[in-house]
């Protein structure tokens, strides 16, 4: 009791030290949430002045200031900022109790149903969100955090830092666009791939499935993933963590910053990943004879061997400084990102191809600008402007004169290059700018205008003679993309609302195009211009309390990406004359969300239909003994599917949930050529190398105040199931010898203990604890059983 009184007295003195006793008044009160719980460490200040304090552990505040009229502002993590005008009389005390509402997110009232998964309640678009705060004590990356959402599948070619694709309702890779705080991440570089960013970097992740609001200004067909960071006004804070695990894997993260009472704000984020990725796989071995010439391969004899040329590390620093809560700007930030990566290349596109010295490295620097203001010039007009410049260097190095096998043995070949002799440096420069204006007319009508400008240029120089087989370094690769969107939203009641929109797409491409039949070599410089107009509508209706229906349609276009157009100067061959994909997308979603005392139930189901023309398909090819990835306009593809999700929670003690997904993506191009009647042999077949049935599920037990008040123990189990699928067209070739990715069922366990209300945290994880053989892409085997531990500290408000 004495300690408590002393703390309260000290708190009171700090809040009032800087204020003179003459002509002063006092404002005090308690800050609570809408559920009547106390909000401690909330920031209380008089806007535009130096006077402020924070609430104590009982939610109380006491603030002295000279007599006068002010705007009292109160903010806290997870709540909307409250502002009201007050008059402080001289030498008197006034009392203001404040109730803060949970923060209304950009998604229109995000409702958490259990285990960190949220549903967008009022939005007409089919969107969900993951609250990552519950995962901050885990070693997961952002991509792994997304796995619990319906329709999402993470596909990786190996361990930490490996190539990754996110599959969303049947679309994968370039069909799904990634944003950070609404800013597109095209050209961000390997270090900022979503599977290399720690989950602590984000406060939540929003996923728009299928039809996408024009506010993102994107040409995604499959959907949008928006990583949302914490932008709330906070005092000094520090979040730091370190983890270590199997395969010599080290991960660390630190975030610190502060917002001063005068609105000056700074923040630093930094993270790194390191792993040898030396896990065991199963494969046949090519044995080298003692004469250094002969080879012996028995494909029926499978060995258990360790990967050895697969080390990866990346480092990144993100800094921001600027002003918030000014009359002329809610937020004005100047930022910079610096990142570096080093990646050894263990295999080609097939696992039997083994590299022992081939590697890649690079770095990037990204200055950026961000400006936003609500009610600019007139009430109801909100604007946001972002711009960044990305200067990226990537080096591909393949100069060894040896051939390796899975034992690490090598033989001298007499020719340089394990795959393709190269030592080149590609300079990629990107300009990205977005402008968004929202205009609200009362509470019923609103308009949104968005424009995105994106430019890309790549120049490559080689330290050895000539270009790679897959490109011509003497021809620069250039693309410019402009997308403009305008939408109207009608919301007459809380029961239903409707959005309609249109988009204009424009793209200019310049780069090398092969004149050879196999698509490799004999390059000429070519330019191509494309423009298209798309449109769509989305609506939602609350049938009864808790039961909501959503329906959306879009005539959408997806412009080819830089990798599809120009390749990666190494393992991927680009195609500059690719045509944009055109698609008719329909989504129907039905969800039910209710609270029954301490019980919470959430169920949802989604039907998906996509009719896509000029579908851009990735495949594999080989020339001169070199295998590589290729892109081509396949023709017409139809996607039909569904996913269902259910979650149950009991109080704060237990939650259980899972999703089941069935996505049917089939070739709908009936004839081999447009003017012939020769039917395609693949008509009606599934698109190869794509999972079509998969599921995930998890259960979490939580014990609060265990061993001491404010301490929490959490035990989580999660599992993933994937049905087998064919690497190539299903009905071509002998079914008995067809290459398939096998059926898989993996399990993970994690145990976490949080102390001192989250100040100190420790966790342990076992992934794939049954040591299943896991595959995603072209039978490239992933890691078996692995163990990880993490320690995290958090200080500040």
């Amino acid at each position: 009791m004495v300690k408590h009184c002393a703390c309260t007295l000290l708190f009171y003195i700090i809040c009032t030290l800087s204020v003179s006793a003459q002509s002063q008044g006092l404002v005090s009160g308690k800050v609570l949430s809408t559920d009547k719980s106390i909000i401690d460490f909330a920031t209380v200040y008089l806007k535009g002045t130096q006077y402020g304090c924070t609430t104590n552990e009982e939610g109380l505040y006491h603030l002295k200031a000279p007599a006068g009229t002010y705007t009292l502002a109160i903010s806290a993590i997870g709540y909307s900022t409250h502002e009201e005008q007050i008059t402080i009389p001289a030498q008197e005390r006034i009392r203001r109790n404040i109730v803060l509402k949970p923060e209304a997110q950009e998604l229109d009232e995000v409702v958490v149903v259990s285990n960190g998964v949220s549903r967008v309640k009022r939005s007409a678009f089919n969107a969900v969100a993951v609250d990552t705060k519950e995962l901050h004590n885990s070693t997961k990356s952002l991509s792994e955090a997304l796995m619990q959402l319906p329709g999402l599948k993470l596909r990786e070619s190996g361990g930490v830092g490996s190539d990754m694709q996110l599959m969303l309702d049947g679309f994968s890779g370039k069909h799904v666009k990634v944003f950070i705080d609404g800013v597109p991440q095209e050209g961000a570089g390997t270090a900022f791939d979503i599977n290399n960013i720690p989950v602590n970097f984000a406060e939540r992740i929003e996923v728009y499935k299928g039809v996408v609001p024009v506010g993102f200004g994107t040409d995604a067909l499959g959907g949008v993933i928006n990583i949302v960071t914490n932008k709330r006004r906070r005092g000094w804070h520090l979040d730091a963590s370190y983890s270590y695990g199997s395969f010599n894997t080290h991960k660390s993260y630190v975030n610190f910053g502060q917002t001063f009472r005068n609105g000056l704000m700074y923040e630093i984020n930094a993270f790194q990943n390191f792993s040898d990725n030396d896990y065991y796989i199963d494969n046949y071995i090519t044995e080298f004879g003692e004469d250094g010439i002969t080879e012996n391969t028995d494909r029926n004899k499978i060995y258990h061997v360790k990967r050895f040329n697969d080390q990866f590390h990346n480092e990144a620093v993100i800094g921001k400084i600027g002003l918030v809560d000014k009359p002329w700007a809610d937020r004005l930030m100047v930022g910079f990102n610096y990142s570096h990566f080093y990646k050894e290349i263990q295999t080609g596109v097939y696992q039997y191809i083994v590299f022992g010295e081939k590697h890649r490295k690079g770095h990037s620097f990204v200055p950026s600008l961000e400006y936003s203001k609500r009610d600019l010039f007139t009430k109801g007009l909100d604007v946001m402007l972002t711009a960044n410049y990305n200067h990226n260097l990537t080096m591909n190095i393949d100069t060894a004169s040896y051939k390796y096998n899975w034992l690490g043995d090598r033989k001298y070949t007499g020719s340089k290059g394990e795959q393709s002799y190269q030592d080149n440096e590609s300079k990629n420069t990107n300009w990205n700018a977005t402008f968004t204006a929202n205009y609200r007319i009362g509470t019923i009508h609103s308009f949104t205008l968005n424009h995105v400008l994106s430019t890309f240029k790549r120049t490559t120089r080689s330290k050895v003679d000539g270009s790679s087989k897959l490109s011509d370094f003497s021809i620069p690769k250039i693309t410019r993309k402009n997308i403009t969107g305008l939408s109207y939203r009608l919301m007459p009641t809380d029961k239903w609302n409707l959005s309609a929109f249109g988009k204009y797409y424009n793209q200019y491409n310049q780069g090398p195009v092969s004149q050879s039949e196999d698509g490799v070599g004999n390059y000429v410089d070519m330019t191509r211009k494309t423009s298209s107009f798309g449109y769509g509508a989305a609506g939602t209706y609350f049938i009864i309390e808790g039961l909501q229906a959503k329906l959306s349609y879009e005539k959408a276009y997806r412009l080819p990406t830089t990798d599809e157009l120009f390749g990666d100067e190494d393992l991927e061959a680009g195609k500059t004359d690719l045509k944009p994909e055109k698609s008719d997308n329909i989504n129907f979603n039905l969800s039910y969300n209710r609270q029954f005392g301490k019980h919470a139930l959430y169920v949802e189901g989604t039907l998906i239909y996509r009719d896509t023309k000029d579908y851009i398909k990735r495949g594999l090819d080989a020339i001169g003994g070199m295998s590589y990835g290729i892109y081509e306009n396949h023709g017409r593809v139809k996607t039909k599917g569904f996913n269902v999700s259910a979650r149950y929670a009991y109080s704060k003690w237990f939650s259980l949930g899972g999703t089941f997904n069935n996505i049917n993506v089939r070739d709908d191009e009936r004839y081999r050529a447009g003017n012939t009647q020769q039917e395609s042999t693949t008509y009606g077949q599934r698109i190869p190398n794509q999972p079509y049935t998969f599921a995930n599920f998890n259960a979490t037990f939580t014990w609060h105040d265990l061993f001491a008040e404010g301490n929490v123990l959490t035990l989580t189990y999660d599992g993933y199931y994937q049905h087998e699928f064919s690497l190539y067209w299903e009905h071509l070739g002998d079914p008995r010898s067809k290459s398939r990715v096998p059926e898989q069922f993996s399990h993970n366990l994690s145990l976490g203990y949080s102390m001192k209300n989250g100040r100190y945290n420790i966790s342990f994880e076992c992934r794939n604890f049954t040591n299943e053989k896991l595959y995603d892409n072209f039978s490239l085997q992933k890691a078996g059983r692995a163990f990880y531990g993490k320690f995290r500290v958090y200080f500040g408000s």
Side-chain angles (χ1 to χ4, degrees):
M1 183 67 182
V2 173
K3 182 180 177 181
H4 171 73
C5 293
C7 291
T8 304
L9 179 60
L10 178 61
F11 163 82
Y12 183 87
I13 293 172
I14 291 174
C15 287
T16 57
L17 265 178
S18 61
V19 184
S20 169
Q22 297 180 354
S23 300
Q24 291 180 349
L26 174 67
V27 57
S28 62
K30 179 177 284 191
V31 179
L32 303 171
S33 67
T34 52
D35 62 2
K36 306 304 180 184
S37 60
I38 291 170
I39 301 178
D40 54 358
F41 299 107
T43 301
V44 182
Y45 61 100
L46 301 178
K47 204 169 180 179
T49 75
Q50 298 295 315
Y51 302 112
C53 63
T54 58
T55 58
N56 64 9
E57 65 273 14
E58 296 179 349
L60 298 172
Y61 71 92
H62 302 275
L63 177 59
K64 275 190 177 182
T69 300
Y70 303 93
T71 297
L72 178 67
I74 301 95
S75 62
I77 297 174
Y79 297 90
S80 297
T81 298
H82 174 88
E83 294 184 3
E84 66 175 63
Q85 192 176 74
I86 62 169
T87 300
I88 300 178
Q91 298 182 350
E92 289 187 24
R93 173 181 175 177
I94 62 171
R95 187 172 184 84
R96 288 288 187 274
N97 291 332
I98 305 298
V99 176
L100 296 185
K101 297 179 180 178
E103 185 180 30
Q105 312 287 11
E106 290 86 345
L107 282 175
D108 272 358
E109 194 177 347
V110 177
V111 179
V112 178
V113 292
S114 71
N115 201 33
V117 176
S118 312
R119 164 58 58 179
V120 184
K121 187 175 182 184
R122 294 170 62 192
S123 170
F125 297 94
N126 186 16
V128 289
V130 177
D131 184 355
T132 62
K133 292 191 290 294
E134 295 186 10
L135 302 173
H136 282 183
N137 293 331
S138 74
T139 62
K140 294 182 185 294
S141 64
L142 289 178
S143 59
E144 292 169 321
L146 289 166
M147 291 285 284
Q148 57 190 299
L149 291 177
L152 268 160
K153 175 78 173 70
L154 172 65
R155 305 184 67 186
E156 292 181 296
S157 61
V160 177
S162 63
D163 294 335
M164 177 275 304
Q165 285 188 341
L166 279 170
M167 182 174 170
L168 178 59
D169 287 347
F171 282 102
S172 62
K174 311 301 187 295
H175 297 95
V176 182
K177 303 293 185 181
V178 177
F179 290 72
I180 295 180
D181 292 326
V183 179
Q185 295 302 294
E186 292 186 34
T190 300
F192 275 93
D193 283 348
I194 194 171
N195 61 329
N196 294 327
I197 302 177
V199 71
N200 301 65
F201 180 76
E203 183 178 58
R204 70 178 187 280
I205 312 173
E206 305 167 350
V207 179
Y208 288 84
K209 304 170 65 180
V211 181
V212 177
V214 300
F216 286 104
T218 185
D219 55 334
L221 287 186
V224 157
I225 295 171
N226 186 33
I227 302 165
V228 181
T229 62
N230 191 336
K231 288 189 174 184
R232 287 185 290 272
R233 183 174 183 139
R234 294 186 288 173
W236 183 85
H237 60 277
L238 170 68
D239 186 359
S241 61
Y242 169 77
S243 69
Y244 174 75
S246 299
F247 322 120
N248 195 29
T249 301
H250 304 258
K251 297 183 178 183
S252 58
Y253 172 79
V254 63
N255 164 254
F256 64 92
Q258 185 175 10
T259 303
F260 297 94
R261 293 172 185 169
N262 62 1
L264 179 64
M265 176 265 190
Y266 73 91
E267 184 174 36
I268 298 292
N269 279 278
F271 62 87
Q272 64 83 216
N273 300 288
F274 177 95
S275 182
D276 287 332
N277 288 317
D278 55 348
Y279 58 89
Y280 282 88
I281 64 161
D282 300 281
N283 209 85
Y284 63 82
I285 293 176
T286 298
E287 297 178 341
F288 303 138
E290 294 182 0
D291 58 5
I293 300 175
T294 59
E295 296 182 6
N296 180 39
T297 302
D298 183 355
R299 300 195 176 202
N300 295 317
K301 189 176 182 180
I302 304 300
Y303 291 79
H304 194 58
V305 293
K306 182 186 286 190
R307 297 169 71 101
F308 58 91
N309 183 51
D310 204 20
Q311 187 181 100
F312 173 84
H313 66 84
N314 72 314
E315 302 81 31
V317 178
I318 307 103
K320 293 181 180 180
I321 187 169
L323 297 168
V324 297
D325 296 333
K326 294 297 181 182
W328 40 271
D330 293 334
R331 187 175 176 88
L332 175 63
M333 291 290 153
V334 176
F336 71 89
N337 297 358
Y338 175 80
S339 63
H340 175 270
F341 81 94
Y342 172 84
K343 176 179 174 61
E344 295 175 344
I345 311 297
Q346 176 70 91
T347 71
V349 291
Y350 297 98
Q351 188 162 281
Y352 66 80
I353 302 171
V354 187
F355 300 135
E357 299 180 40
K358 180 178 172 66
H359 63 280
R360 184 181 302 159
K361 59 184 178 180
H363 62 268
S364 64
F365 178 73
V366 186
S368 62
L369 175 69
E370 174 191 348
Y371 173 82
S372 62
K373 180 69 178 76
R374 290 180 63 87
D375 299 325
L376 180 68
F377 303 133
T378 184
K379 185 174 178 59
L381 177 61
D382 307 334
V383 299
M384 183 178 74
L385 174 68
T386 66
N388 65 61
Y389 170 73
N390 189 334
H391 185 87
N392 177 287
L393 287 178
T394 300
M395 286 146 276
N396 290 298
I397 301 164
D398 184 5
T399 58
S401 301
Y402 297 94
K403 180 178 180 179
Y404 285 80
N405 66 13
W406 274 117
L407 295 176
D409 300 331
R410 67 181 188 179
K411 79 169 188 176
Y412 182 70
T413 60
S415 60
K416 294 184 178 180
E418 297 180 75
Q419 182 190 38
S420 175
Y421 180 40
Q422 60 178 315
D423 185 356
N424 60 62
E425 177 185 88
S426 295
K427 182 173 73 172
N428 304 312
T429 56
N430 296 72
W431 284 97
N432 292 290
T434 64
F435 172 78
T436 305
N438 294 294
Y439 185 57
R440 305 180 305 277
I441 304 175
T443 59
I444 298 177
H445 310 280
S446 64
F447 294 87
T448 300
L449 174 67
N450 175 274
H451 182 79
V452 172
L453 166 66
S454 179
T455 71
F456 173 87
K457 181 178 182 181
R458 176 189 293 164
T459 55
T460 304
R461 64 183 183 90
S462 177
K463 297 179 182 179
V464 298
D465 294 335
S467 303
S468 74
K469 295 180 182 179
L470 303 183
S471 184
D472 189 326
F473 295 164
S474 65
I475 301 176
K477 290 87 172 174
I478 298 171
T479 183
R480 291 191 295 271
K481 182 166 64 175
N482 286 273
I483 303 175
T484 303
L486 177 65
S487 72
Y488 165 70
R489 181 183 183 184
L490 174 67
M491 189 174 177
T493 71
D494 289 339
K495 195 169 185 177
W496 69 275
N497 66 82
L498 174 70
S499 294
F501 58 89
K503 292 182 180 179
Y504 176 75
Y505 308 83
N506 180 271
Q507 187 177 36
Y508 169 86
N509 304 322
Q510 178 184 350
V513 173
S514 174
Q515 301 299 295
S516 302
E517 290 185 3
D518 56 16
V520 174
N522 190 22
Y523 295 98
V524 297
D525 193 4
M526 177 181 173
T527 62
R528 184 185 184 96
K529 296 181 180 179
T530 302
S531 61
S532 305
F533 180 75
Y535 50 88
T540 183
Y541 181 76
F542 289 88
I543 302 171
I544 59 175
E545 184 181 358
L547 182 62
Q548 182 182 15
K550 294 186 178 188
L551 179 65
S552 58
Y553 165 79
E554 181 179 19
K555 181 72 172 180
Y557 291 81
R558 185 180 77 83
L559 306 176
T561 66
T562 55
D563 282 348
E564 292 169 335
L565 293 167
F566 309 128
D568 65 355
E569 313 293 350
D570 187 15
L571 299 174
E572 302 285 325
K575 193 171 184 181
T576 308
D577 56 349
L578 283 173
K579 294 182 288 185
E581 293 178 325
K582 304 178 286 290
S583 183
D584 293 283
N585 301 338
I586 299 175
N587 293 272
F588 176 73
N589 175 269
L590 196 64
S591 63
Y592 181 70
N593 180 34
R594 286 299 301 272
Q595 188 87 23
F596 306 95
K598 293 184 177 181
H599 304 270
L601 177 66
Y602 180 79
V603 181
E604 74 153 289
T606 300
L607 296 176
I608 303 122
Y609 176 82
R610 311 270 191 274
D611 185 358
T612 308
K613 302 175 183 65
D614 294 323
Y615 181 85
I616 299 176
K617 175 180 172 292
R618 182 185 182 273
L620 295 181
D621 209 339
I623 183 172
M626 180 185 71
S627 298
Y628 57 91
I630 58 172
Y631 295 94
E632 59 182 351
N633 288 111
H634 175 71
R636 189 171 187 172
V637 170
K638 281 190 178 178
T639 303
K640 301 175 184 178
F642 68 90
N643 50 64
V644 293
S645 177
R647 295 193 175 271
Y648 164 78
Y650 176 72
S651 187
K652 296 181 179 180
W653 183 76
F654 173 72
S655 67
L656 173 69
T659 69
F660 178 83
N661 311 272
N662 185 275
I663 310 296
N664 196 1
V665 186
R666 294 186 180 269
D667 179 14
D668 200 51
E669 189 67 28
R670 191 176 193 89
Y671 302 105
R672 296 186 63 179
N675 296 320
T676 72
Q677 295 301 306
Q678 184 179 3
E679 189 166 294
S680 170
T681 57
T682 62
Y683 174 68
Q685 296 187 40
R686 295 185 193 274
I687 297 297
N689 192 37
Q690 284 201 16
Y692 57 89
T693 299
F694 52 95
N696 65 74
F697 37 89
N698 55 68
T700 300
F701 298 86
T702 306
W703 292 269
H704 294 271
D705 298 324
L706 186 66
F707 305 129
E709 187 176 354
N711 294 2
V712 179
L713 178 69
T714 304
L715 175 65
T716 299
Y717 161 78
D718 59 83
Y720 298 90
Y721 168 79
Q722 178 179 285
H723 193 275
E724 71 169 15
F725 59 92
S726 176
L727 293 184
Y728 306 104
W729 294 104
E730 287 181 311
H731 300 151
L732 300 183
D734 186 348
R736 294 170 297 179
S737 60
K738 288 187 70 65
S739 297
R740 295 180 180 274
V741 172
E743 184 178 70
Q744 300 165 53
F745 196 3
S746 64
H747 312 266
N748 308 310
L749 277 175
S750 64
L751 181 68
Y753 189 58
S754 177
M755 297 163 280
K756 300 288 186 181
N757 292 311
R759 175 165 292 184
Y760 306 104
N761 309 271
I762 189 169
S763 62
F764 300 95
E765 299 178 34
C766 179
R767 299 189 185 180
N768 190 12
F769 62 78
T770 55
N771 203 29
E772 300 292 325
K773 292 182 181 181
L774 304 180
Y775 305 86
D776 272 331
N777 294 318
F778 286 98
S779 288
L780 296 176
Q781 190 172 344
K782 302 195 295 182
R785 185 186 297 114
F787 298 91
Y788 300 93
K790 180 177 179 178
F791 178 71
R792 172 177 173 249
V793 295
Y794 185 88
F795 297 94
S797 58

